[in-house]
Amino acid sequence: MRVHRAMRSLLSRATQADTSFSIGLGLIVILAVAEIFAATFYYIGRARAARASAQAIAATMVRPTTPVASTTDALSPAQPGQSPQAAAPTPPPSLVDQLLREGIELRERGDTTTALARLQEASESDPTNAALLEEIAKTYEAMQLFDRSNEMWRKLQEMGPSAGEAYELADQRLKLGVPTPGTAGAGIASASLDPAAPHKDVGGGIAEGSTFSITEVKTTETPDPDAETSLTLQIGIRKQPDATIDYTKVKIQVFFYDTVDNRDIKLTDADVNYEWLTPKHDWTDTNPEILSVSYLRPKTRVVASEAALSEAAASVKPGQKGRPAKSSTAGAGERKYLGYRILLYYDDKLQAVQAEPARLLQLFPPSENISPP
């Protein structure tokens, strides 16, 4: 019995020891697994943090380069296959450039008056534009207003080499003078001058849409022992091609001017006479028709009344011969011939003007219309 109890006691103790050992072993296993999981979570967390940091650094390094790339793309020309919107749009022409182009085109068509208005409008916005000043000077030359064209050339010359080719052209114009055409081009009145004669200051032009124009004015001075001055103007009057006209509505006014005591400018008191050199002067067989107007100042000075002067410069109609001015004996200072002013009207509307010197057109501007008699 004692032996049996001892064995049972030993078995019980062995069982308890085995249970304790199992429990201890289980605890050890559990702790080991817990440590493994903890270590795993720790290293996974560090790996994620390292990846996020690397991504942030990469993003920080990439961002500054992005706008540069887009700017380069925007400035580069459009490549094949790219959208047309990627190319930079062409800026529209400025108002000054547009007016400059219109002025040149109008002058080439013969409309010098409108051309000059366009160019002057552009010059108000850009008064130092060398191209504008050059075209204004050329337009004045086309209108035979050489005083004004020389003003423009002098402005370009004063600008110096910064004006480019316009400066060289201005220097050439002012040194050599402006070549004068022998006949009218594109409907512009011109003077027919002897190439060997000194340059004359002639001004003139035509109105837009004119039916008639002045093609030439030839001045001939005749020596006369009984006269202080004896000269004749031969004026060519041309009808525009294919124009249907009533020749009785053509009127030509020629005014001669004198200087008085080398100071004042007044309408002449000399004898003035008109005569058609072409036989019919109706523009059916001859174009242009030629009108001759004479100026005669005798050595014995006579002075015409204002009424007689107006009558002498009255309209000359085709088919009529002018008559000399009526004179009186009253004196009014020493007079010398200065120049002339020619006005051409059709159907009482101004067609063309010409004057020598050109300033007579500024001192005595012509009327756009004349009242019928």
Side-chain angles (χ1 to χ4, degrees), residues 19-100:
T19 303
S20 299
F21 176 77
S22 298
I23 294 172
L25 182 60
L27 289 174
I28 292 171
V29 171
I30 291 171
L31 290 174
V33 171
E35 280 192 33
I36 291 172
F37 275 106
T40 302
F41 284 125
Y42 173 74
Y43 286 110
I44 289 175
R46 289 193 62 180
R48 287 180 178 177
R51 189 181 304 117
S53 177
Q55 290 176 350
I57 293 172
T60 304
M61 296 175 64
V62 169
R63 282 195 195 100
T65 63
T66 302
V68 177
S70 62
T71 303
T72 305
D73 293 341
L75 295 177
S76 62
Q79 300 295 328
Q82 284 186 338
S83 171
Q85 295 178 354
T90 303
S94 67
L95 178 60
V96 171
D97 292 338
Q98 183 176 349
L99 291 171
L100 175 61

Side-chain angles (χ1 to χ4, degrees), residues 296-365:
L296 177 64
R297 176 176 295 284
K299 287 186 176 180
T300 301
R301 183 172 65 246
V302 293
V303 180
S305 66
E306 290 297 327
L309 294 177
S310 299
E311 182 181 355
S315 301
V316 178
K317 297 183 179 180
Q320 295 180 347
K321 183 177 179 179
R323 56 185 183 276
K326 300 176 182 179
S327 303
S328 66
T329 58
E334 182 181 359
R335 286 178 174 257
K336 293 182 180 179
Y337 172 76
L338 173 64
Y340 63 82
R341 187 171 62 110
I342 303 170
L343 311 181
L344 172 60
Y345 290 88
Y346 177 67
D347 198 17
D348 299 324
K349 296 180 180 179
L350 184 65
Q351 303 290 298
V353 297
Q354 189 150 322
E356 180 194 343
R359 68 178 184 273
L360 288 174
L361 292 177
Q362 300 176 350
L363 296 173
F364 308 101

Side-chain angles (χ1 to χ4, degrees), residues 41-262:
F41 284 125
Y42 173 74
Y43 286 110
I44 289 175
R46 289 193 62 180
R48 287 180 178 177
R51 189 181 304 117
S53 177
Q55 290 176 350
I57 293 172
T60 304
M61 296 175 64
V62 169
R63 282 195 195 100
T65 63
T66 302
V68 177
S70 62
T71 303
T72 305
D73 293 341
L75 295 177
S76 62
Q79 300 295 328
Q82 284 186 338
S83 171
Q85 295 178 354
T90 303
S94 67
L95 178 60
V96 171
D97 292 338
Q98 183 176 349
L99 291 171
L100 175 61
R101 184 176 63 253
E102 290 179 4
I104 295 174
E105 292 174 354
L106 288 166
R107 186 184 65 220
E108 291 175 350
R109 295 203 301 264
D111 187 1
T112 54
T113 303
T114 308
L116 185 60
R118 294 284 194 279
L119 295 172
Q120 288 177 336
E121 181 181 352
S123 182
E124 291 176 0
S125 301
D126 192 357
T128 59
N129 188 313
L132 275 175
L133 294 176
E134 178 183 346
E135 297 305 329
I136 291 174
K138 290 180 179 179
T139 305
Y140 277 134
E141 287 179 359
M143 300 172 72
Q144 304 271 326
L145 299 176
F146 298 115
D147 279 350
R148 296 186 181 182
S149 66
N150 286 340
E151 290 179 8
M152 297 298 106
W153 293 127
R154 277 190 287 271
K155 287 184 179 180
L156 284 167
Q157 192 180 49
E158 291 171 358
M159 293 172 66
S162 62
E165 295 181 359
Y167 166 73
E168 298 177 1
L169 182 60
D171 191 58
Q172 180 183 7
R173 283 287 204 274
L174 293 173
K175 286 181 179 178
L176 303 180
V178 182
T180 305
T183 57
I188 301 171
S190 63
S192 177
L193 305 175
D194 183 359
H199 172 70
K200 294 184 178 180
D201 177 22
V202 180
I206 67 170
E208 184 178 0
S210 297
T211 305
F212 288 87
S213 62
I214 300 173
T215 61
E216 65 175 3
V217 179
K218 183 183 296 183
T219 304
T220 304
E221 188 167 359
T222 304
D224 188 341
D226 297 326
E228 291 182 4
T229 306
S230 176
L231 57 86
T232 303
L233 302 182
Q234 289 188 9
I235 308 167
I237 310 296
R238 181 186 296 275
K239 176 181 73 71
Q240 299 299 337
D242 303 325
T244 302
I245 57 113
D246 180 356
Y247 72 93
T248 63
K249 295 182 178 180
V250 178
K251 299 176 183 178
I252 303 102
Q253 295 181 336
V254 181
F255 299 89
F256 289 103
Y257 294 88
D258 301 327
T259 57
V260 181
D261 295 330
N262 292 323

